[in-house]
Amino acid sequence: MSLLEISGLRVSTATQELVHGIDLTIDKGEWLAVIGESGSGKSVSAFSIADLLPRGLTRTADRLMFDGADLLTLSKAGYRELRGNRIAYVFQDYQQAFSPYYRIGKQLDEVLKAHTDWKPERRREHAAATLERLSLPGDLLHRYPFQVSGGQLQRAALAAAILLDPALIIADEPTTALDAVNASLVLDQLADIQKEKGCSVLFITHNLRLAGKFADTMAIMQDGCVKERGTVSDIFTAPKAAITRNLIAAIPPLRNIPARLPVALEGVA
Amino acid sequence: MVALKKLGEGLVFLWLLTLVAFAVVKLAPGDVVLSMLRIDTVAVTNEQIEALREELGLNMPIWQQYLAYLGSLAHLDFGTSAMTGQPVIAEIGKAFPATLMLAGYALALALILAAILGAVGARFAGRWPDRGVLAFCMLGASIPTFWLALVMLNVFSVRLGVVPSMGMGDGGMILPTVALAFAVAPPYIKILRNSLIESQDLDFVRASRSRGLGEQVIFFRHILRASLIPVVTIAGVSLGSLLGGTVVVEKIFGIPGVGKLMLEALTRRDYAVIQAFIILIGVIVFLINTLVDLSYRWLDPAISLKGKARA
Amino acid sequence: MSPVLEIRDLVKTYGDVRAVDGVSLTVGPGECLGIVGESGSGKSTLARCLLTLERPDSGDVLLEGRSLVGLRGGALKESRQRLQVVFQNPASSFNSKLTMFESLMEPLRIRGDVCPSFVDPGTPREVAVRLLDLVQLPKSVLDRKPGELSGGEKQRVAIARAISVEPTLMVFDEPTASLDVSIQARVLNLLQDLKDRLGISAVFISHDLSAVQFMSERSIVLRGGRIVDEFHRDELFDDGRDSYTRELIRLFED
Amino acid sequence: ACGSGSSDSTADATAADKTLNFVTVYPANTTDAHQVQASFILNSGAVETLVGFDPDTLELYPWLAESWDTDDAQHWTFHLREGVEFHNGEPMTAEKVMASLQDSIDVNPGVAAALTIDSMEVVDEHTLSITTADVYPALISNLVHFNAVITDVDAEGDLPVGTGAFKFDSFDIAGEAVLSRNDSYWDGTAKLDKVVMTANEDSNARVMALQSGDADIIYRPGLESLPTLEADESLTVDTVSGTRVYHLLYNYSGANADLWNNEEFRRGIDALVDRQSIVDTVMGGQATVAYNVFPGDWPFSPETTEHEFGVEAALQHFEAAGLDVADGKVTRDGQPLSLKMATYVARAELPQIAQIVQDQARQVGIDMEIYVAENIDEYLPQGDWDLVTYSLLTISRGDGAFFLNSAFGADAAQNHGRLDDPTLQSMLDAFNKEVDVDSRTEQTREIAEYIDAEAYNSYITVPNESAAFKDTVTGWKTPANEFEFQMITKDLDIN
Amino acid sequence: MKQRILIAIVVVLLVLLAFGPLIAPHDPNLVDLTARLQPPGWEHWFGTDQLGRDVFSRILTGGQTTVGLTVLALAISVVIGVPIGLIAGFRGGRLDWALMRVVDAFMALPEYIVAMIIAGILGAGFGNLVLAIVIVKWVGYARLTRSVVMQEKAKDYLQVSTISGASTFSILRRHMMPHVIGPVLALATLDIGKVILLVASLSYLGLGVQPPAPEWGSMLNEAQTYFVTAPYLMIIPGCAILIVVVAANWLGDQLQQRYATGGARKEDVDVAA
Ligand SMILES: Nc1ncnc2c1ncn2[C@@H]1O[C@H](COP(=O)(O)OP(=O)(O)OP(=O)(O)O)[C@@H](O)[C@H]1O
Ligand SMILES: Nc1ncnc2c1ncn2[C@@H]1O[C@H](COP(=O)(O)OP(=O)(O)OP(=O)(O)O)[C@@H](O)[C@H]1O
Ligand SMILES: [Mg+2]
Ligand SMILES: [Mg+2]
């Protein structure tokens, strides 16, 4: 049964269409990786799901259903209720994941306060427990964002996302700002949670290696269109679209190192 | 550690200030002697002028004068006003409340204006209310304060007679306050407006929105907080135009403040007063800047804690 | 053969942080040494020390047997000119107000050189075009400002700029970290080509084990400012690797 | 219920309380009457001097001193008025007067220089003997100085404790001074109950205060506002001729000393001064034309001889001075003349007068560069100027001594042109030793005539002094200058 | 469209400033005592002043003094401030610390007050006025330049240049100057307005340019006495100042928007101003 159903989604500015009617579905418990080069429209598509498009961008769609509810007709309050509670986001820039002026604990608390009527005591316990689940030290709650290392902060952002056990986590390039070592750590943890909670993940990246490692299914985007869609194993073994083949070839291997990496289209960078 | 460094910087600054105060006066032509001898009503000879100069120590070598000056400053002795024979401290102390009141009222009014107009500008960014706000800022930044004050005086006091022209009680402060606030407010309005607009697109504001926080929480806790930092920054800087403005406004409206005292001291070459004035202003500015610094620390914890975080 | 670069017991601290904590290594002629490590492990600090951009607290850096530490004035300038570097962030590697031509030709201009030996001589503009050729860029790039080029293109100009003066030693500090995988592949290929063709000695820094593995025969692993492991390309999967290296391998294995 | 002056019923008192609001020009900068820079305290009517100065006759009269005598103008005996009390009830004794004068001398170098007192001695309760450093007939006149007022220096508190018809209730130098009637005044009691006195240097502000009803009397309304005020039915503008003369000083020791030492040249410049125009325009008609040091009909005023005015007359003088005159332009060695004229803004009309003179000079080909000095008395001693518009009280405290000594003494501070004429100096020396009042008057006139004959300065105009007040005010007398008179007097009343 | 109108206004103003004395219908210094204080009319568009001089002509010629003085003072400030900022920002360390303390000391005293004290003590006059302005203004340029340099210094291309053997001087000239020029120009344009206001204020306090030279500030000062009877004497120079300052501020805003993003942080320009 599908959790999120998108069909014919278009995003445009006043002058130009950025996303040209894409279709995507995510089943409950599915981890979908959306791959594509920079500027292919991954982020704006993801933002349009929970009505978070920046000013000046508008979305239209034939169908936009989340867990049986029609998002196209949902009220502002409905969206507010949805965000952070049922659909959670993790963005790329960990530095900006939290307001620099308040301690992390305070900001997690704000989220809980917005969506529950729990007592402060319970909220505090829950926040601490969530951090622990991500193997983050408990004193993180009392620190300001800039007092925390990059990997930890990105995991704290993940904590903010999973606080209320959302049905869908949208992770928009959550690791590009991290080094390879920390990136893997964060994704490992996201994978653990997904397994444990059975939530769905919409994972946006342009790193095919990571997608292959963590996702069940993949969609490859280029120029505002989905070029290919399938299970991870299908795509790695039998890529159909040229863009897919290029991306796969570009990953340097650890063994049997070639003299050159295969690059499909010379002269374009 | 930080406090110690601040203290050190403060002392260096204070010393520089004494140097400036002393130098300004020594570089100046003329001295207080003519005024002390009342030459516009008493016939005196150049011989008498020289004698008084000698007596006042004005003919000592410059460095001796500076040391003597530093020495008396160390005892918090700012000297005696040659005009009145009163301790300078007392003179300034008497004039200070009026200036403080004027500056305080004007600043308060400017901040209220800034809060309202800044919010309006940001809320309607790009549309006509915003343009109106920007035009107001442009106008406010371009009108000579004293000119505005005189025009207002003419219109409201002389022609309409709705407010008194001078004096401090009974609404006498209305025109001076408004004139001064008009000059001081524009940078606040503009900065607040701009940073409100900019903050709305900050990533962490977006992140908060994605977590389903209410718009009010986002505005008051996250956007406003970020916008206050530049406002506080210019608070330190606009102090200058505020104090400068008070001098002019005090003169026009006959408000017996520090500015008026300084103007009088300037014409009478009452250098002890001018020196004390320089040091007073310097210290005020230093205090305000320290306050601004502290409020940064409160507004942006990163500033106070970053050092610690790294160490 | 004597090493091109030798670092002995290098220590650099910032306040309480020991960013580089007693590192010794050598780079032979024509060799490309890989350095892997996570963020904050001291890779860039090490690079800046050997580039003479930072004065180490102790230890020595020898370029072709001559110490770089403590050089000043003309001697420093002369030694520096035998080093070149390509940084991680292509956006900040160029002065946004200058054209690519001006930026590209700056090192040559300062040296007063007419032309590197590996391209045909000509006017500065012709030389610039030939250098761009080497990194597979069209000459139209020359008159543009950095803002009008993509990250990958800028990075390739940066590489052309670095090799133009035929340095004795090149330092690549995460040259592909901010690029897309497909562009990264292109840049890595290019570096590999140039290195082979010109026989330059190099230090290649990255947090991406697979990129280091691709570029370098021999690599070291840095952690907390110390070398925790050192291996030849073929020895990566050998037993007895340091536990941290094994952790890295796990992250990069498919 | 309202019989005699005393009113015990408070309700009655408030109803009958006569309060007058007076706005003068310069505020006091201290409450110390011996140090204050402006004459605010003297003007307030709270204090008095030993010798008074009559605004009508410009003659000295006995005030707190009933009489004085001296044989040699060096040893003086002052007989003090009896039955005078300070505001705090202390009797005014020779002891107190001596202490007061001593304080003035100690804290105020100007008073010390003006009085040149060598020693003082109490002879009896009401007799004080004073010895001056030298023969000094000008002592009497200088006792009128506003810093030489007699106060009780032993009195507590900051308020000046004098002997006047009013006493200070409160005195905020920055704000207002509130005075109330001194019921035990020696010269009868005042008509007003209360006076609120403030100062404002901005003439617009003063005028506005009067127009808005905040003030009952204002001193020195701005010239340009006089027509408006005069047109107002409910207001009176009172104008008297002042004792200040605007004039041109020449630099006898500067770069162009040769020109200025040439009498014909001076006469030429003098002929370029369009006095009548200046009076009509710059002075707004509120002034009289002056040709000599002491214009008017004071005892020592010389006979007025009008000076010729006009380009023609000027050119004749220039030619006589040995300069080349052709086509209505004057040149020296083929070069046009160029002079530097200093002026200053403290008296707003002076720069305008300078501009008018400049404009006239241009017509004869003389280029005058105007320099506006911030502090003219500091600028002039530097010597880098040719002529300057200047202003001084010439008839000060009933005597020409101040002006003549100040402006023509060889070493005098305000002899800015460093004029050194032995004839004039010996006349001045003789005058300074002359004790006899009539002879002094005679000599003053002679000196003035001599200065006029030599055209040493060019006297231009005597500005009027004026005050404006509501019609309800009576007993106001506009003083000829602000330095030498009480303005609030016992005769002042408001209905 | 609106942009174009504003540009046209600026151009007209510049033309009026440049050729004002030529356009002026009367001799601005010609005293005509028979035509004093005439209100604006056909013969004298802006009326005449207390000495019967033509106000229109004085406004036209006066602009050159006012704006010329301002531009001269700012040019000197730039020439002093920019090199100091360059060196302080680039060298860093103790030199920077010392220079910045000096700058702090200058900044600590509000510019209005410092200018008043200097002009008040030295006396009125063109030279002293320029000096007073330079003393309060150079600091802003030093600060701004320094902040631009500090920001650029963090970028890798400087390290590349250093390694390539570029001298400090050539780095400052070739790499830093292009970044500095824009923001400095923007600040200077904004300062034109501020300095004109400062000059006017000083003139109001009697510390301005000397008569009879027509200068807007001193015209205001002279007009003060006639404020009630001949308000146009005050209104007209006031409006002239207002228009020029608005134009300069607008131009400065434009330049600043253009350069602030590329160069210094926006607040820096605002703050330094
Ligand atoms: N607010 C906006 N206004 C106008 N155009 C926009 C806006 N946001 C994004 N775009 C444009 O829309 C296109 C898609 O942008 P998007 O951010 O979705 O790309 P992306 O696939 O997420 O790329 P990246 O990997 O760089 O994040 C781009 O061409 C971008 O320039
Ligand atoms: N200028 C500096 N001042 C203070 N500390 C510094 C400075 N430069 C680096 N450090 C510290 O030194 C350590 C090593 O930093 P370095 O930049 O060399 O790491 P790196 O391995 O290059 O990391 P990355 O992969 O993030 O570039 C870090 O802890 C860093 O915080
Ligand atoms: Mg994106
Ligand atoms: Mg690094």
Side-chain angles (χ1 to χ4, degrees), chain C residues 6-25:
Chain C
E6 186 175 357
I7 291 178
R8 290 184 191 149
D9 243 352
L10 194 77
V11 177
K12 175 75 197 174
T13 56
Y14 294 107
D16 296 344
V17 183
R18 292 177 84 81
V20 176
D21 192 5
V23 167
S24 304
L25 55 82

PDB file of all heavy atoms in Angstrom, chain C residues 6-25:
ATOM      1  N   GLU C   6      60.440  15.677   2.308  1.00  0.00           N
ATOM      2  CA  GLU C   6      60.592  14.912   3.542  1.00  0.00           C
ATOM      3  C   GLU C   6      60.067  15.756   4.697  1.00  0.00           C
ATOM      4  O   GLU C   6      60.423  16.922   4.843  1.00  0.00           O
ATOM      5  CB  GLU C   6      62.062  14.569   3.773  1.00  0.00           C
ATOM      6  CG  GLU C   6      62.219  13.645   4.965  1.00  0.00           C
ATOM      7  CD  GLU C   6      63.651  13.190   5.165  1.00  0.00           C
ATOM      8  OE1 GLU C   6      64.518  13.558   4.342  1.00  0.00           O
ATOM      9  OE2 GLU C   6      63.890  12.490   6.160  1.00  0.00           O
ATOM     10  N   ILE C   7      59.195  15.125   5.473  1.00  0.00           N
ATOM     11  CA  ILE C   7      58.668  15.825   6.645  1.00  0.00           C
ATOM     12  C   ILE C   7      59.128  15.074   7.868  1.00  0.00           C
ATOM     13  O   ILE C   7      59.034  13.838   7.929  1.00  0.00           O
ATOM     14  CB  ILE C   7      57.124  15.880   6.590  1.00  0.00           C
ATOM     15  CG1 ILE C   7      56.697  16.810   5.458  1.00  0.00           C
ATOM     16  CG2 ILE C   7      56.555  16.399   7.910  1.00  0.00           C
ATOM     17  CD1 ILE C   7      55.198  16.900   5.280  1.00  0.00           C
ATOM     18  N   ARG C   8      59.690  15.804   8.817  1.00  0.00           N
ATOM     19  CA  ARG C   8      60.229  15.146  10.015  1.00  0.00           C
ATOM     20  C   ARG C   8      59.533  15.671  11.266  1.00  0.00           C
ATOM     21  O   ARG C   8      59.646  16.859  11.575  1.00  0.00           O
ATOM     22  CB  ARG C   8      61.720  15.461  10.148  1.00  0.00           C
ATOM     23  CG  ARG C   8      62.569  14.791   9.093  1.00  0.00           C
ATOM     24  CD  ARG C   8      64.024  15.088   9.396  1.00  0.00           C
ATOM     25  NE  ARG C   8      64.849  14.699   8.275  1.00  0.00           N
ATOM     26  CZ  ARG C   8      65.975  15.324   7.952  1.00  0.00           C
ATOM     27  NH1 ARG C   8      66.394  16.353   8.671  1.00  0.00           N
ATOM     28  NH2 ARG C   8      66.688  14.902   6.918  1.00  0.00           N
ATOM     29  N   ASP C   9      58.800  14.757  11.905  1.00  0.00           N
ATOM     30  CA  ASP C   9      58.276  15.061  13.246  1.00  0.00           C
ATOM     31  C   ASP C   9      57.543  16.393  13.344  1.00  0.00           C
ATOM     32  O   ASP C   9      57.739  17.163  14.285  1.00  0.00           O
ATOM     33  CB  ASP C   9      59.458  15.097  14.246  1.00  0.00           C
ATOM     34  CG  ASP C   9      59.263  13.997  15.266  1.00  0.00           C
ATOM     35  OD1 ASP C   9      58.182  13.381  15.247  1.00  0.00           O
ATOM     36  OD2 ASP C   9      60.200  13.758  16.051  1.00  0.00           O
ATOM     37  N   LEU C  10      56.719  16.636  12.414  1.00  0.00           N
ATOM     38  CA  LEU C  10      56.060  17.949  12.337  1.00  0.00           C
ATOM     39  C   LEU C  10      54.965  18.080  13.396  1.00  0.00           C
ATOM     40  O   LEU C  10      54.147  17.179  13.565  1.00  0.00           O
ATOM     41  CB  LEU C  10      55.452  18.130  10.952  1.00  0.00           C
ATOM     42  CG  LEU C  10      55.033  19.556  10.618  1.00  0.00           C
ATOM     43  CD1 LEU C  10      56.263  20.377  10.267  1.00  0.00           C
ATOM     44  CD2 LEU C  10      54.074  19.548   9.457  1.00  0.00           C
ATOM     45  N   VAL C  11      54.981  19.195  14.135  1.00  0.00           N
ATOM     46  CA  VAL C  11      53.941  19.468  15.132  1.00  0.00           C
ATOM     47  C   VAL C  11      53.390  20.864  14.892  1.00  0.00           C
ATOM     48  O   VAL C  11      54.139  21.811  14.667  1.00  0.00           O
ATOM     49  CB  VAL C  11      54.510  19.398  16.571  1.00  0.00           C
ATOM     50  CG1 VAL C  11      53.427  19.770  17.573  1.00  0.00           C
ATOM     51  CG2 VAL C  11      55.056  18.005  16.858  1.00  0.00           C
ATOM     52  N   LYS C  12      52.067  20.947  14.866  1.00  0.00           N
ATOM     53  CA  LYS C  12      51.445  22.273  14.765  1.00  0.00           C
ATOM     54  C   LYS C  12      50.238  22.307  15.694  1.00  0.00           C
ATOM     55  O   LYS C  12      49.371  21.427  15.628  1.00  0.00           O
ATOM     56  CB  LYS C  12      50.999  22.528  13.323  1.00  0.00           C
ATOM     57  CG  LYS C  12      50.240  23.815  13.142  1.00  0.00           C
ATOM     58  CD  LYS C  12      51.145  25.030  13.183  1.00  0.00           C
ATOM     59  CE  LYS C  12      50.361  26.298  13.411  1.00  0.00           C
ATOM     60  NZ  LYS C  12      51.256  27.462  13.590  1.00  0.00           N
ATOM     61  N   THR C  13      50.237  23.281  16.590  1.00  0.00           N
ATOM     62  CA  THR C  13      49.102  23.367  17.512  1.00  0.00           C
ATOM     63  C   THR C  13      48.383  24.708  17.336  1.00  0.00           C
ATOM     64  O   THR C  13      48.992  25.709  16.978  1.00  0.00           O
ATOM     65  CB  THR C  13      49.577  23.280  18.983  1.00  0.00           C
ATOM     66  OG1 THR C  13      50.544  24.299  19.191  1.00  0.00           O
ATOM     67  CG2 THR C  13      50.177  21.939  19.292  1.00  0.00           C
ATOM     68  N   TYR C  14      47.089  24.652  17.557  1.00  0.00           N
ATOM     69  CA  TYR C  14      46.301  25.888  17.638  1.00  0.00           C
ATOM     70  C   TYR C  14      45.729  25.932  19.040  1.00  0.00           C
ATOM     71  O   TYR C  14      44.813  25.173  19.352  1.00  0.00           O
ATOM     72  CB  TYR C  14      45.151  25.874  16.634  1.00  0.00           C
ATOM     73  CG  TYR C  14      45.586  25.882  15.190  1.00  0.00           C
ATOM     74  CD1 TYR C  14      45.469  24.746  14.415  1.00  0.00           C
ATOM     75  CD2 TYR C  14      46.094  27.038  14.611  1.00  0.00           C
ATOM     76  CE1 TYR C  14      45.847  24.750  13.086  1.00  0.00           C
ATOM     77  CE2 TYR C  14      46.488  27.050  13.289  1.00  0.00           C
ATOM     78  CZ  TYR C  14      46.359  25.904  12.523  1.00  0.00           C
ATOM     79  OH  TYR C  14      46.738  25.930  11.228  1.00  0.00           O
ATOM     80  N   GLY C  15      46.280  26.774  19.869  1.00  0.00           N
ATOM     81  CA  GLY C  15      45.818  26.778  21.259  1.00  0.00           C
ATOM     82  C   GLY C  15      46.053  25.405  21.859  1.00  0.00           C
ATOM     83  O   GLY C  15      47.183  24.913  21.878  1.00  0.00           O
ATOM     84  N   ASP C  16      44.970  24.774  22.304  1.00  0.00           N
ATOM     85  CA  ASP C  16      45.111  23.453  22.915  1.00  0.00           C
ATOM     86  C   ASP C  16      45.013  22.323  21.900  1.00  0.00           C
ATOM     87  O   ASP C  16      45.266  21.164  22.216  1.00  0.00           O
ATOM     88  CB  ASP C  16      44.008  23.244  23.970  1.00  0.00           C
ATOM     89  CG  ASP C  16      44.153  24.240  25.110  1.00  0.00           C
ATOM     90  OD1 ASP C  16      45.251  24.831  25.209  1.00  0.00           O
ATOM     91  OD2 ASP C  16      43.188  24.420  25.874  1.00  0.00           O
ATOM     92  N   VAL C  17      44.602  22.679  20.673  1.00  0.00           N
ATOM     93  CA  VAL C  17      44.392  21.624  19.682  1.00  0.00           C
ATOM     94  C   VAL C  17      45.717  21.266  19.010  1.00  0.00           C
ATOM     95  O   VAL C  17      46.396  22.129  18.459  1.00  0.00           O
ATOM     96  CB  VAL C  17      43.402  22.100  18.594  1.00  0.00           C
ATOM     97  CG1 VAL C  17      43.143  20.977  17.608  1.00  0.00           C
ATOM     98  CG2 VAL C  17      42.122  22.582  19.225  1.00  0.00           C
ATOM     99  N   ARG C  18      46.082  19.988  19.093  1.00  0.00           N
ATOM    100  CA  ARG C  18      47.263  19.559  18.350  1.00  0.00           C
ATOM    101  C   ARG C  18      46.789  19.096  16.978  1.00  0.00           C
ATOM    102  O   ARG C  18      46.430  17.950  16.784  1.00  0.00           O
ATOM    103  CB  ARG C  18      47.984  18.424  19.087  1.00  0.00           C
ATOM    104  CG  ARG C  18      48.621  18.902  20.395  1.00  0.00           C
ATOM    105  CD  ARG C  18      49.275  17.760  21.145  1.00  0.00           C
ATOM    106  NE  ARG C  18      50.626  17.465  20.678  1.00  0.00           N
ATOM    107  CZ  ARG C  18      51.705  18.155  21.056  1.00  0.00           C
ATOM    108  NH1 ARG C  18      51.577  19.174  21.859  1.00  0.00           N
ATOM    109  NH2 ARG C  18      52.895  17.819  20.615  1.00  0.00           N
ATOM    110  N   ALA C  19      46.762  20.026  16.020  1.00  0.00           N
ATOM    111  CA  ALA C  19      46.204  19.730  14.706  1.00  0.00           C
ATOM    112  C   ALA C  19      47.087  18.726  13.968  1.00  0.00           C
ATOM    113  O   ALA C  19      46.596  17.811  13.327  1.00  0.00           O
ATOM    114  CB  ALA C  19      46.069  21.011  13.901  1.00  0.00           C
ATOM    115  N   VAL C  20      48.417  18.913  14.043  1.00  0.00           N
ATOM    116  CA  VAL C  20      49.351  17.927  13.495  1.00  0.00           C
ATOM    117  C   VAL C  20      50.273  17.560  14.640  1.00  0.00           C
ATOM    118  O   VAL C  20      50.830  18.425  15.307  1.00  0.00           O
ATOM    119  CB  VAL C  20      50.156  18.507  12.318  1.00  0.00           C
ATOM    120  CG1 VAL C  20      51.190  17.491  11.849  1.00  0.00           C
ATOM    121  CG2 VAL C  20      49.234  18.886  11.191  1.00  0.00           C
ATOM    122  N   ASP C  21      50.394  16.262  14.881  1.00  0.00           N
ATOM    123  CA  ASP C  21      51.024  15.851  16.129  1.00  0.00           C
ATOM    124  C   ASP C  21      52.150  14.859  15.839  1.00  0.00           C
ATOM    125  O   ASP C  21      52.006  13.655  16.021  1.00  0.00           O
ATOM    126  CB  ASP C  21      49.942  15.216  17.023  1.00  0.00           C
ATOM    127  CG  ASP C  21      50.439  15.023  18.441  1.00  0.00           C
ATOM    128  OD1 ASP C  21      51.560  15.471  18.734  1.00  0.00           O
ATOM    129  OD2 ASP C  21      49.699  14.422  19.220  1.00  0.00           O
ATOM    130  N   GLY C  22      53.260  15.378  15.335  1.00  0.00           N
ATOM    131  CA  GLY C  22      54.425  14.512  15.124  1.00  0.00           C
ATOM    132  C   GLY C  22      54.312  13.657  13.882  1.00  0.00           C
ATOM    133  O   GLY C  22      54.353  12.430  13.956  1.00  0.00           O
ATOM    134  N   VAL C  23      54.157  14.269  12.743  1.00  0.00           N
ATOM    135  CA  VAL C  23      54.024  13.522  11.502  1.00  0.00           C
ATOM    136  C   VAL C  23      55.361  13.497  10.765  1.00  0.00           C
ATOM    137  O   VAL C  23      56.024  14.530  10.636  1.00  0.00           O
ATOM    138  CB  VAL C  23      52.942  14.153  10.602  1.00  0.00           C
ATOM    139  CG1 VAL C  23      53.010  13.599   9.195  1.00  0.00           C
ATOM    140  CG2 VAL C  23      51.570  13.931  11.209  1.00  0.00           C
ATOM    141  N   SER C  24      55.774  12.316  10.303  1.00  0.00           N
ATOM    142  CA  SER C  24      56.954  12.204   9.454  1.00  0.00           C
ATOM    143  C   SER C  24      56.549  11.441   8.209  1.00  0.00           C
ATOM    144  O   SER C  24      55.808  10.462   8.281  1.00  0.00           O
ATOM    145  CB  SER C  24      58.074  11.429  10.152  1.00  0.00           C
ATOM    146  OG  SER C  24      58.386  12.043  11.370  1.00  0.00           O
ATOM    147  N   LEU C  25      57.005  11.895   7.056  1.00  0.00           N
ATOM    148  CA  LEU C  25      56.707  11.150   5.831  1.00  0.00           C
ATOM    149  C   LEU C  25      57.652  11.596   4.737  1.00  0.00           C
ATOM    150  O   LEU C  25      58.360  12.598   4.861  1.00  0.00           O
ATOM    151  CB  LEU C  25      55.252  11.366   5.406  1.00  0.00           C
ATOM    152  CG  LEU C  25      54.746  12.795   5.206  1.00  0.00           C
ATOM    153  CD1 LEU C  25      55.117  13.343   3.838  1.00  0.00           C
ATOM    154  CD2 LEU C  25      53.231  12.830   5.356  1.00  0.00           C
TER     155      LEU C  25
END
